[in-house]
Every structure is written in C-alpha cells, then in structure tokens.
Amino acid sequence: MILIVAEHTAGKLAKATLEMVTAARESGREGPVTLLVLGQDVAAVAAEAAAVADQVLVADLPALATYNAEVWAAATTQIAQEGEAHTIIIGGSRSGREYAPRVAVKLDAPYLEDATSLSSNGAALQAQRYTYLARVTETVEADGTVVVTVKPGSFAPAAPAAAPGEQYDVELDLPAPRVQVTGRSVEKSSRVALTEADVIVTGGRGVGSPENFTRYVEGLADSIGAGVGATRAVVDAGWRPYAEQVGQTGKTVQPKAYIALGVSGAVQHLSGMGKSKNIIAINKDAEAPIFKVADYGIVGDINEIVPALIEASRK
C-alpha cells in the first residue's frame, strides 16, 4: 500500500494532505492509498480523510495529543511494517521534515526529500525536486520501500472519491518520549493561511516601503479575503515576517489567483508560485520577469492602480 501520514489542524484536514493524496495517485505505484491519522479526538479528521482515500487508519490516543518526532516516527514505522507499505509519503512541513528521516532510518529505506512530482520508472519511484537555489530541477529515483516528503503547494488538492474509503482503528506500541514540549506559541492572524488560501496578494520591494506594503498589499488582501505573501527581499529588509515569504526559501503555494504587486519575478520567487492557476502582475517595469509567467499584467504605478482596485472590490 501507499501510506500517507495525514496533516491536520484544529480538527480539520490540512490542504497539504489532499496534495499528498494527489501525489500518491500520480506516483504510478500500485496498492490502496491509505491515510494514517494520528492524534486525539480525530473522528472529524478521519471522516474527512475517508472522503479522499481508499482506506483510513485511525490512531486516536492521548499519547498522540501533542506532536512528538520520536512518537510520530515510531507510529508511522510500525504501521508501514504491519501494512507492508512500499511507499510512505509525509508532508514537507517543518514537523514532517523532522520525523521523516527517522522513519527512513527505521525502515532502512531510501529517503526522497521535497518532491515536486512523482512517477514510476519501472519498479523505481522517480521524484523531481529543486536544487541550486531552484535554478535546476533534478530527478532522483529509488527502488523498493521508499520514504518521500512532498513539498507543500506542488500538487493540486485531491477531489473527493466516488465512494468513501473504509476506516480502521489501529493499535500502536509507542515509546515513552524523551523530549517534552513545555510550551507552544501560535501566530495569530485573522487572514487565511498562505498554504490554505485560494487567493494570495504578494508584495515585493517595488511597493516602496513598509507603510505602502500595509496600505496596498494588506489593503487589497483584506478587501477580497486573500492571504498575504512577501518576497525574500521584503522579508530580508525586515518589512514582513518570514512566515509570509513565498519562494524557494519560503513557502510554495498554488492558489487559484496570485496577485503580485511590485514583484520583479526572480527565479527563486517563481519556483514558489509558478503553478498558480492565474497570475496577475502589477509592476511599473515592463521588462520585469514576472510578466513572462503572468496570465494578466498591468504596467503601471501601484500607487494609482491598487487604490482603484481596492475601491472597486469594496463596491
């Protein structure tokens, strides 16, 4: 089987999980697509998972209430061995990248990291990923049992299946964690998260200043209910937090609409948003690289264009 470890937050399946289901189906490997749901009080998550997977394995235990790399690795390894999984897919989130290598070591399996596409080459699993600051796409492959992390935003979310998958409760032999989480802080925002947003408004250095970023990028995003993104140059300048960075060293996104304000379109940034369904660019430089990938482009001053867009959206 193909085993996917579900990512979920606040009782809801994460978009990244739906992307991993698509990755599994595109891999060309045989066997049922199986979602493993780890946590406590995850009945609602399991029900969501059943709508997109062939089968769902549920471990609803107090010991899984809080994420722990050792425990997650042990649980995933046990289920992979018992189910004779030949492909284990884990999200390329911060936590996923932490425990996925542990799973590979425990299974004595190859580890393919940050895959942006999956396919089969005979008996081998073939993956593509970015390298050399996203200037090069390399292809790697491995035989037998393989552990893969999928780069978020690289695949389209899976649609509900024709019939819901079967659910099974599983028993786990979990180790006592050696590391205890003593506190957790979550960034509070009234806006939709970047990785979940259908529409994203991103600002680059071309917006001119932190004040203009707030006025134009946040203003337009709030008026249309969009997420807010930023280029690396903006984050490096201290205008915006790293959590908003889109690009090779930030988040990879694939929204229905990506609105780029004052974004030049460096290759590192394009690697993080190039698969967006519709790209709308506004820049006063007609030669900006962003226009080469944009579906719609406006050459002009954002100080004039964006206020008009905000006013129009409010009407």
Side-chain angles (χ1 to χ4, degrees):
M1 70 178 179
I2 302 175
L3 182 65
I4 300 170
V5 184
E7 293 195 355
H8 53 92
T9 306
K12 293 193 65 177
L13 206 62
K15 185 179 179 181
T17 302
L18 303 180
E19 294 171 3
M20 287 189 280
V21 172
T22 299
R25 299 201 186 282
E26 291 182 359
S27 71
R29 291 204 138 186
E30 297 181 353
V33 174
T34 304
L35 275 170
L36 172 61
V37 179
L38 303 175
Q40 185 178 26
D41 299 327
V42 291
V45 176
E48 276 192 86
V52 295
D54 298 323
Q55 58 185 13
V56 179
L57 307 180
V58 184
D60 195 329
L61 302 168
L64 298 172
T66 302
Y67 164 76
N68 179 284
E70 284 183 281
V71 176
W72 253 243
T76 304
T77 301
Q78 180 181 327
I79 297 301
Q81 290 174 329
E82 292 178 356
E84 298 182 348
H86 52 66
T87 309
I88 297 90
I89 301 179
I90 297 170
S93 60
R94 191 167 189 172
S95 58
R97 293 196 303 270
E98 182 183 21
Y99 76 87
R102 299 171 186 244
V103 175
V105 170
K106 289 175 180 291
L107 294 174
D108 192 23
Y111 175 47
L112 305 182
E113 187 177 30
D114 265 356
T116 58
S117 74
L118 292 176
S119 60
S120 289
N121 182 19
L125 178 66
Q126 197 169 77
Q128 289 189 332
R129 62 189 182 193
Y130 295 126
T131 186
Y132 291 108
L133 297 177
R135 288 182 171 87
V136 175
T137 299
E138 67 177 4
T139 302
V140 292
E141 64 179 41
D143 294 314
T145 300
V146 185
V147 178
V148 185
T149 53
V150 169
K151 188 174 180 62
S154 299
F155 295 84
E166 295 184 87
Q167 293 187 45
Y168 304 92
D169 292 329
V170 296
E171 295 183 1
L172 295 173
D173 182 17
L174 299 174
R178 293 177 293 176
V179 176
Q180 299 292 334
V181 177
T182 59
R184 187 182 299 273
S185 60
V186 179
E187 184 179 9
K188 295 182 179 180
S189 175
S190 59
R191 298 189 185 92
V192 61
L194 270 182
T195 52
E196 303 288 331
D198 286 332
V199 180
I200 294 173
V201 180
T202 291
R205 286 296 292 268
V207 301
S209 67
E211 293 74 24
N212 280 356
F213 196 105
T214 300
R215 182 180 300 114
Y216 299 133
V217 181
E218 288 191 359
L220 181 58
D222 290 343
S223 70
I224 59 177
V228 171
T231 63
R232 178 173 178 172
V234 165
V235 174
D236 286 348
W239 295 3
R240 306 299 296 181
Y242 173 72
E244 294 179 357
Q245 184 173 318
V246 175
Q248 195 266 337
T249 54
K251 290 182 171 66
T252 298
V253 296
Q254 196 175 159
K256 294 179 181 177
Y258 188 87
I259 305 172
L261 306 182
V263 175
S264 64
V267 65
Q268 292 89 345
H269 184 74
L270 298 181
S271 70
M273 45 65 71
K275 290 187 177 181
S276 302
K277 188 172 181 180
N278 291 287
I279 300 173
I280 301 98
I282 303 174
N283 199 303
K284 65 181 179 181
D285 180 8
E287 302 300 319
I290 191 69
F291 287 122
K292 294 180 180 179
V293 299
D295 298 285
Y296 303 94
I298 301 174
V299 178
D301 189 346
I302 64 170
N303 294 283
E304 300 173 359
I305 297 169
V306 178
L309 290 176
I310 293 174
E311 182 63 27
S313 68
R314 288 173 177 168
K315 291 181 180 178

